[in-house]
């Protein structure tokens, strides 16, 4: 039993974590790619039109408001984000 315990703790768990992290990294979208897409005017407009077709234009509008808030911190802007996108209507 001590050998099994040693194997599980020293080999099995690290192997599991390595495989888990590999798939977690592979499936997670890269934030930089979205930033690049939304900073390109032509791609941004295409994405906005797609959001409109999917009836989800609030996603890009929320992104715009958060992006502005990151650069210009103000309590009014924060309150607008919370009341517009986070509070149930």
């Amino acid at each position: 039993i001590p050998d099994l315990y040693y194997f599980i703790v020293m080999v099995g768990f690290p192997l599991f974590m390595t495989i888990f992290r590999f798939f977690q990294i592979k499936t997670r979208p890269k934030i930089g790619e979205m930033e690049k897409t939304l900073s390109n005017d032509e791609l941004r407009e295409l994405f906005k039109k797609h959001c409109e077709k999917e009836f989800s234009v609030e996603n890009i509008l929320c992104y715009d408001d958060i992006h502005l808030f990151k650069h210009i911190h103000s309590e009014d802007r924060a309150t607008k984000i919370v009341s517009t996108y986070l509070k149930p209507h």
Side-chain angles (χ1 to χ4, degrees):
I1 299 270
D3 290 339
L4 179 61
Y5 177 76
Y6 178 81
F7 178 80
I8 290 171
V9 171
M10 301 305 285
V11 177
F13 183 71
L15 180 61
F16 170 78
M17 289 305 296
T18 301
I19 293 169
F20 177 77
R21 285 189 185 135
F22 173 79
F23 285 109
Q24 187 180 30
I25 290 169
K26 289 285 242 186
T27 58
R28 185 177 4 166
K30 294 182 181 168
I31 294 171
E33 292 176 15
M34 187 59 128
E35 294 282 337
K36 287 179 193 175
T37 301
L38 294 176
S39 66
N40 178 309
D41 292 338
E42 189 176 326
L43 293 176
R44 178 184 188 71
E45 191 58 34
L46 285 172
F47 183 67
K48 188 174 180 182
K49 287 179 182 179
H50 170 75
C51 288
E52 288 170 354
K53 274 200 271 187
E54 296 293 320
F55 302 103
S56 61
V57 75
E58 69 278 359
N59 292 331
I60 196 161
L61 297 175
C62 180
Y63 174 86
D64 290 341
D65 286 342
I66 291 171
H67 188 74
L68 281 172
F69 178 75
K70 284 182 177 180
H71 297 289
I72 306 169
H73 297 283
S74 78
E75 191 172 326
D76 292 337
R77 195 174 303 277
T79 303
K80 178 189 177 227
I81 291 169
V82 170
S83 65
T84 305
Y85 304 106
L86 302 176
K87 283 190 177 178
H89 295 278

